[in-house]
Structures are given as C-alpha cells and as structure tokens.
C-alpha cells in the first residue's frame, strides 16, 4: 500500500493540472489514513474544476473519514439536487444519515445501494405483502458475510406472514440459520430455484430496510441464534480460566488499515493466569501466536474460521466475552447473543451509528470508538472491565 501511495503521488507531481491524477491519489491516501494529504488533493482538484462531481464525491469521502458527516451530507444533497437520478449519491447519503442516527431517512436512501442486486429493491412492496399475508417470497443473496448476518436479524419480522419464504445466503451460514429457522428454506447461490418466475422476489437487504424501524421500535426482537447440535454445546464450568474470544484483523478490500488493531493492544490488559485466549481470527499469523505464547497465554482456535462458521459460533459461545473489530465476527457474536465488545475506528461504518455505546442492531454488543484517527491508545482499558 505504501508503494501505491508513492506511485499515486508521483502521478500528481508529474502532472499537477490533471484532475484524474488527484482522483487516483485520494482513495489511496484515504486507505493509508493520510487524510490531510487527501483533503489537499481534493481541494486542488476543485480548484481546477469546481463543478466536477467526482471531485466533490471524493471530498465527501474525506470528510467522512474525518468524522464530518454533516459536511459530507451537504455535499451529497447538493449532488442529488443536480443529479436526482444518480443512485450512488442517494446511497451514500443514506449511509451518512444512518451514521448520524437518522435511521428513517437513511433507509429511504439505502434502497439505492450500489452494485448489481440481481433484482429490483422494493422494500415498500415487501411491507405491503407482509401486511396482506399468504404470499410466497424469495430473498436473493446480497453483500458479504457480516452484512447478511445483520440483514437476517430482521427475519422474525416476516415469520408467519408468508406461505413460503426462501432465502439465498452464503453457503457457510446455511447450517446455522436452517437449524434456527426450520420453517424457512435457505439455499446457496449455486442451488437452482425457480424464483425468477416469482414476482415477490427481493434482494436480502430489503428485509433489513423493511424491518429495522420496527426492530428499533421494539415491534419485534431478534432471538439469539442457538446451536442445535448437542455435541457442540458450550461447557464453561470445567474451564479454570476465563475464555476471551479475540478477532483483531480484517482483510477486507476497503478499510483494513483503519479497522485492524495490533493483537498486543488487545491482550496487554489481560492476565495469562486468569484468561485463556480463543483466536476467532481467520488465519492468525505465526507472529501473533508467538506473541501470545511469549506473554504466557494459552490459546485455542477453530480448525477453520473461514469455511466452518458453525464451529466458529461454537467457540464464541464457549467464551465469557468476545472482543473484536468491525468484521464478520462482531455480527456473528452479536447474533448469537454473546457478550461482545466492538472496537471501532474513529470514522466507523454506518452499521454502528454515532455517539451510542450500545449497538442498535445487536443489544448485546458494546461499542468503543477511537477518539482520533488511527489512535488505539487506551483501547485495551475497555477490553475487560465492561463485564466485571
């Protein structure tokens, strides 16, 4: 990534009058947390052409990373005024409205979410069918593992309202959800289904749009996922040490640097005489395991934290609490009802809103945010004490 930043900067230096060079530089500067440089580049691009929409869009992105969602919202509103049919602007506005706690307005724009959904987003129609009852509905897979778990929190919103419900989700989630919702059919993307001939077909995110406000208003409550296999039922009584589940790194395409945290920062306030670590992290590195061992910690880990999500769920429930960053583990732990602390970057995802200490989607997840960009100082002070 450092090389990419130098390469992008070199293009700017080679041709400081080229808007495209600034547009290439800004996303790389954001990903490497060089936010001052990113803002300078955005300002330079706007000096060349103050009407360039892409320059304003990138400026809004920099403002978001700085935590200035109000400034970003104003930009998106102006862009929408000039381009009312531009779905990307409406979607980004929705995310920022979510971030400042304006959930209803955010949901109105979330239906313009980017990407190829495979079918039209029609959350209002879904609500109409729910009120009517008796229809068959199909939800197509959408977005990644964590988002799917979050969307599925709203499954109780439609239970008993339709004659048949089929949900297409990540193959790895099917064993967990099919055992918890036996009246719903779960299929993977590779499985054939005649849903394309059914008018009541929705992208999975529509379930979230239709169900979130009722969830927040206590119109229904998600029940924690449970493990049906008795052989995997957790047993904490025979363990002399307290198990603490940890996940500290993400390999996501966007935001891995700002979201990941050094393992040392997580465990420096733990006591190897009292705590046993459970590495929920996908592919913990040898140096991470060596660090834990050198500090005197015992640790355990799932055999496959990528493919076998059911096993990961088993390990989460064996833990007294889970400490994680913003990755799929926080969603899975939240859906399981486990005591969870989510450590979030200064400018975090819309999923976690702002200024709240309890996640509005997972009531068992406590939130702790950085107080400034890329500063994890003192974050470990909160790693254990919330549950003492």
């Amino acid at each position: 990534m450092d090389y990419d930043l130098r390469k992008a900067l070199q293009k700017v230096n080679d041709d400081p009058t080229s808007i495209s060079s600034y547009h290439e530089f800004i996303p790389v500067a954001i990903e490497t947390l060089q936010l001052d440089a990113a803002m300078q580049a955005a300002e330079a691009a706007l000096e060349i052409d103050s009407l360039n929409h892409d320059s304003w869009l990138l400026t809004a992105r920099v403002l978001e990373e700085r935590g200035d969602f109000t400034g970003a919202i104003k930009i998106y509103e102006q862009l929408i005024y000039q381009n009312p049919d531009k779905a990307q602007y409406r979607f980004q506005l929705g995310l920022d409205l979510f971030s400042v706690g304006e959930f209803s307005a955010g949901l109105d724009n979330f239906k313009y979410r980017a990407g190829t959904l495979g079918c039209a987003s029609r959350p209002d129609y879904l609500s109409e069918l729910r009120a009517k009852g008796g229809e068959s509905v199909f939800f197509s897979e959408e977005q990644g593992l964590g988002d799917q778990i979050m969307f599925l929190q709203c499954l109780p919103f439609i239970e008993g309202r339709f004659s048949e419900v089929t949900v297409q989700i990540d193959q790895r989630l099917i064993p967990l959800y099919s055992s918890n919702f036996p009246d719903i059919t779960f299929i993977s993307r590779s499985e054939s289904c005649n849903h394309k001939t059914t008018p009541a077909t929705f992208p999975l995110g529509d379930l979230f749009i239709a169900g979130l406000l009722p969830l927040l208003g206590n119109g229904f409550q998600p029940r924690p996922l449970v493990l049906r296999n008795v052989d995997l039922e957790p047993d904490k009584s025979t363990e002399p040490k307290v198990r603490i589940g940890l996940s500290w790194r993400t390999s996501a395409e966007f935001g891995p640097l700002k979201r990941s945290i050094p393992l040392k920062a997580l465990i420096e306030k733990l006591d190897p005489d009292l705590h046993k670590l459970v590495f929920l992290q996908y592919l913990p590195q040898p140096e991470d395991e060596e660090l834990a061992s050198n500090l005197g910690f015992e640790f355990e880990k799932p055999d496959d934290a990528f493919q076998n999500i059911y096993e990961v769920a088993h390990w989460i429930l064996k833990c007294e609490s889970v400490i994680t960053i913003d990755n799929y583990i926080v969603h899975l732990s939240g859906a399981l009802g486990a005591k969870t602390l989510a450590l979030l970057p200064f400018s975090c995802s819309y999923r976690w809103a702002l200024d709240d200490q309890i996640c509005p989607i997972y009531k068992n997840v406590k939130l702790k945010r950085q107080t400034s960009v890329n500063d994890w100082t003192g974050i470990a002070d909160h790693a254990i004490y919330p549950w003492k």
Side-chain angles (χ1 to χ4, degrees):
M1 186 64 76
D2 288 341
Y3 172 76
D4 291 340
L5 182 64
R6 291 194 299 269
K7 184 178 179 180
L9 180 60
Q10 186 61 51
K11 287 187 177 181
V12 171
N13 292 334
D14 289 344
D15 189 359
T17 63
S18 169
I19 289 183
S20 63
S21 65
Y22 290 108
H23 290 179
E24 183 176 338
F25 173 80
I26 293 169
V28 180
I30 290 174
E31 287 299 317
T32 54
L33 304 180
Q34 304 298 316
L35 301 186
D36 289 343
M39 182 55 76
Q40 290 172 8
E43 292 170 348
L46 288 171
E47 285 183 8
I48 297 172
D49 182 359
S50 63
L51 300 179
N52 187 287
H53 289 177
D54 288 338
S55 296
W56 281 111
L57 185 64
L58 288 167
T59 301
R61 283 196 57 197
V62 180
L63 291 175
E64 290 163 352
E65 293 301 320
R66 286 180 159 185
D68 183 4
F69 290 96
T70 300
I73 287 171
K74 290 179 179 178
I75 291 176
Y76 292 130
E77 289 175 339
Q78 183 61 33
L79 289 173
I80 292 169
Y81 176 77
Q82 297 173 2
N83 301 269
D85 297 326
K86 187 76 170 181
Q88 181 186 10
Y89 301 157
R90 291 185 178 274
F91 174 63
Q92 292 298 142
L93 173 63
L95 299 188
D96 283 0
L97 289 171
F98 241 102
S99 294
V100 298
E102 297 185 22
F103 297 115
S104 181
L107 289 171
D108 285 341
N109 288 278
F110 190 76
K111 62 186 176 185
Y112 294 96
R113 54 200 179 277
T116 302
L117 300 178
C119 56
S121 176
R122 302 178 295 170
D124 294 338
Y125 182 47
L126 175 61
S127 295
E128 290 177 13
L129 290 182
R130 177 186 178 276
K132 177 183 177 182
E135 297 281 345
S136 296
V137 293
F138 177 89
F139 294 96
S140 63
E141 183 179 350
E142 178 189 349
Q143 300 193 46
L145 198 64
D147 278 336
Q148 289 181 37
I149 295 171
M150 181 179 73
F151 296 160
L152 293 169
Q153 284 290 94
C154 293
L155 274 177
F157 178 67
I158 61 170
E159 276 190 300
R161 304 298 303 180
F162 296 97
S163 61
E164 184 179 10
V165 178
T166 303
V167 183
Q168 185 184 63
I169 55 176
D170 191 298
Q171 174 70 42
R172 295 169 291 176
L173 293 175
I174 292 177
L176 183 59
Y177 280 91
S178 60
S179 63
N180 277 269
F181 295 91
D183 295 331
I184 295 176
T185 301
F186 294 92
I187 66 171
S188 69
R189 187 183 294 271
S190 62
E191 293 181 69
S192 61
C193 182
N194 62 355
H195 71 277
K196 293 184 178 180
T197 61
T198 303
T201 297
F202 306 90
L204 185 58
D206 279 8
L207 174 63
F208 179 69
I209 298 175
L212 182 63
L213 290 181
L215 184 157
L216 298 178
N218 293 318
F220 71 95
Q221 284 300 309
R223 56 183 179 273
L225 300 177
V226 298
L227 304 183
R228 303 299 184 187
N229 188 334
V230 294
D231 294 332
L232 294 181
E233 287 299 320
D235 182 7
K236 302 175 185 177
S237 62
T238 59
E239 176 59 54
K241 294 183 180 181
V242 174
R243 283 192 176 97
I244 305 294
L246 299 176
S247 182
W248 59 93
R249 189 178 65 250
T250 178
S251 56
E253 182 179 358
F254 299 107
L257 183 59
K258 77 171 185 177
R259 284 194 279 161
S260 298
I261 181 173
L263 175 61
K264 184 177 180 181
L266 286 187
I267 64 178
E268 61 185 6
K269 291 298 178 70
L270 301 182
D271 187 338
D273 292 329
L274 300 177
H275 303 116
K276 176 182 284 190
L277 309 181
V278 176
F279 287 170
L280 303 170
Q281 179 66 48
Y282 171 57
L283 292 179
Q285 299 301 298
E287 57 266 27
D288 295 326
E289 298 183 0
E290 182 178 0
L291 170 66
S293 295
N294 290 342
L295 292 175
F297 286 99
E298 298 178 69
F299 61 86
E300 304 166 296
K301 59 182 179 180
D303 291 332
D304 188 347
F306 181 75
Q307 289 291 345
N308 194 341
I309 303 301
Y310 203 94
E311 184 193 7
V312 176
H314 163 59
W315 279 103
I316 287 174
L317 292 179
K318 289 179 68 174
C319 296
E320 180 66 25
S321 60
V322 171
I323 307 169
T324 180
I325 61 165
D326 181 5
N327 57 13
Y328 96 84
I329 291 296
V330 69
H331 293 279
L332 181 60
S333 187
L336 289 164
K339 294 179 181 178
T340 307
L341 176 65
L343 304 179
L344 304 173
F346 177 72
S347 176
C348 58
S349 166
Y350 77 94
R351 300 161 183 84
W352 315 116
L354 292 177
D355 300 328
D356 290 323
Q357 294 183 344
I358 299 296
C359 175
I361 302 169
Y362 310 104
K363 301 298 177 61
N364 54 299
V365 176
K366 293 189 176 184
L367 309 175
K368 175 62 181 177
R369 296 176 176 83
Q370 290 177 338
T371 56
S372 59
V373 176
N374 201 29
D375 183 9
W376 293 110
T377 303
I379 203 77
D381 293 340
H382 301 266
I384 295 302
Y385 301 130
W387 298 295
K388 289 194 72 172

